Amino acid sequence: LALAMLVLAGCDSSKILPSDALNVLDPKGTAGEKSLDLIYFSIAIMLVVFAIVMAIFIYVLVKFRKREGVTLDRSKYKDHNTVLEIIWTVLPIAALVALAIPTVKYTFDLAEVPKGDDVLVVEVVGHQYWWEFKYPKQGFKTAQELHIPVGKKVHFKITGTDVLHAFWVPALGGKMDVIPGRVNELTLDAKKAGLYHGKCAELCGASHALMDFKVVAEEQADFDKWLAKMSAPPAPVVTAKEKQGEEIFNSSCIKCHAGMDPKRQGPDLTKFGNRQSIAGVLKYDEKNLKAWLKDPKSIKPGTKMEKFDFLNDQELDALTQYLMNRK
Ligand code: CUA
């Protein structure tokens, strides 16, 4: 059974995601590499302990097994052995100290706040059930998709608005608690360009498992292009259909999506057309966007987003068009 579980645990997720998108054992950043070092080091210590305990266990099983004609002389039993007791007290302490030294060192290394113009600062806000990413220096915010430049330190200031969440990018490192009213800090970097998967790692409600985000790590030039795209004014509304979509947006969606209703804060959709996913879990296309608008709770149970099932097909079409052109 254990072997079967081991084999099943090796299931390949690369058909739905790039193979390194969610892999703690194949880190793509400094923090992830340090975590993996600690994982290997603690497994090595555990294997040594396991081997010693098993060796003693097997020795005792064989040596003192019940044999025909041999009765154990209980009068020879000892109730005390100072040397042995010292050994089995000192050895575990030594193992724990050996584990603690690199753990404490790495913890302090990773908590260091990087300084300089070269550091990208991103403010992360966890919401039920989506992620908001603010780029304070660049002056814009986005949701569900975090872009970072390869080879640069990214300093995250992490907070939340409702319940506890946890910010985790398995391939890069983490995780860090999201606590409303408190700002936690975390520094990550990506050594290789790629698309990495981010997860919420703290049970936060019905759609905890769907509270995903993407990390797009890209070369500096591509990252600069993305920054320029995000900082530029939104594309003008041209066609009559888009104008109709804009009217629907301004009469319904804007209440939550421009932060006018503090209890129902939705993601900023100014540059929605640059996204790669819908609600962080669906592929970005027209069909999925319509499905989301019609019945978001069927896709993400517990989401604060309301149904837009009162729109007719033509209106839904116009709204979809308007949103997808927000580039
Ligand atoms: Cu947010 Cu789990």
Side-chain angles (χ1 to χ4, degrees):
L1 186 64
L3 274 177
M5 283 166 73
L6 203 61
V7 172
L8 288 172
C11 284
D12 184 6
S13 67
S14 62
K15 285 180 192 75
I16 40 173
L17 286 167
S19 58
D20 51 5
L22 198 60
N23 197 345
V24 177
L25 300 177
D26 184 17
K28 294 292 186 283
T30 310
E33 285 171 1
K34 291 193 167 185
S35 299
L36 186 61
D37 281 354
L38 287 180
I39 291 173
Y40 282 148
F41 185 55
S42 50
I43 288 177
I45 290 184
M46 282 188 263
L47 284 177
V48 171
V49 173
F50 181 75
I52 293 172
V53 171
M54 286 312 282
I56 295 172
F57 177 62
I58 291 167
Y59 169 79
V60 170
L61 268 189
V62 174
K63 175 104 199 247
F64 300 105
R65 71 186 187 279
K66 194 174 181 184
R67 273 173 288 192
E68 292 265 339
V70 181
T71 41
L72 292 173
D73 180 4
R74 285 175 199 264
S75 68
K76 281 188 188 157
Y77 282 18
K78 290 194 178 92
D79 65 357
H80 192 82
N81 188 318
T82 310
V83 174
L84 271 180
E85 278 174 25
I86 290 174
I87 291 173
W88 72 52
T89 306
V90 168
L91 279 185
I93 291 175
L96 290 178
V97 169
L99 256 178
I101 291 170
T103 306
V104 170
K105 187 182 174 297
Y106 283 176
T107 305
F108 279 96
D109 284 356
L110 293 174
E112 217 166 276
V113 177
K115 299 225 162 55
D117 295 337
D118 215 32
V119 179
L120 173 70
V121 175
V122 180
E123 293 170 10
V124 177
V125 188
H127 303 260
Q128 276 176 318
Y129 301 97
W130 59 281
W131 295 95
E132 184 174 17
F133 302 112
K134 297 178 186 164
Y135 291 71
K137 207 174 147 204
Q138 291 76 10
F140 66 83
K141 55 185 175 176
T142 181
Q144 312 293 45
E145 277 158 39
L146 170 68
H147 283 242
I148 59 170
V150 170
K152 260 196 182 175
K153 285 188 170 161
V154 188
H155 188 64
F156 295 100
K157 295 182 182 221
I158 302 165
T159 191
T161 56
D162 35 45
V163 300
L164 297 182
H165 306 274
F167 175 84
W168 189 30
V169 188
L172 300 184
K175 51 210 149 186
M176 181 53 77
D177 286 334
V178 173
I179 302 170
R182 188 195 148 93
V183 178
N184 280 340
E185 299 182 73
L186 175 72
T187 305
L188 296 177
D189 61 18
K191 292 191 170 172
K192 197 180 147 228
L195 180 69
Y196 305 116
H197 211 65
K199 299 288 287 176
C200 175
E202 178 77 53
L203 186 61
C204 56
S207 282
H208 156 68
L210 300 171
M211 193 170 158
D212 292 2
F213 60 98
K214 304 256 183 324
V215 182
V216 182
E218 49 201 354
E219 297 301 337
Q220 189 68 45
D222 294 322
F223 178 70
D224 289 340
K225 265 187 227 159
W226 180 79
L227 280 188
K229 244 186 349 191
M230 294 301 286
S231 308
V237 175
V238 190
T239 63
K241 202 179 196 181
E242 264 186 84
K243 285 205 172 99
Q244 187 196 356
E246 185 180 34
E247 269 168 37
I248 298 169
F249 187 88
N250 287 342
S251 63
S252 317
C253 317
I254 207 166
K255 202 171 67 177
C256 305
H257 287 283
M260 287 146 99
D261 182 348
K263 277 198 222 118
R264 268 180 198 280
Q265 228 184 32
D268 187 293
L269 300 177
T270 318
K271 293 292 168 75
F272 181 77
N274 295 338
R275 296 263 197 94
Q276 298 185 19
S277 69
I278 290 160
V281 285
L282 295 180
K283 199 174 147 247
Y284 182 89
D285 63 27
E286 202 184 320
K287 202 177 120 245
N288 283 341
L289 178 55
K290 284 182 176 169
W292 170 256
L293 288 167
K294 272 190 194 158
D295 192 2
K297 286 188 173 65
S298 72
I299 292 160
K300 248 188 195 179
T303 176
K304 294 192 178 86
M305 166 97 178
E306 289 300 332
K307 277 183 183 182
F308 273 63
D309 55 355
F310 52 85
L311 298 177
N312 65 33
D313 283 354
Q314 195 268 331
E315 289 167 329
L316 191 65
D317 224 35
L319 181 58
T320 308
Q321 192 116 97
Y322 170 74
L323 285 170
M324 293 183 88
N325 285 343
R326 297 303 89 214
K327 294 187 183 182

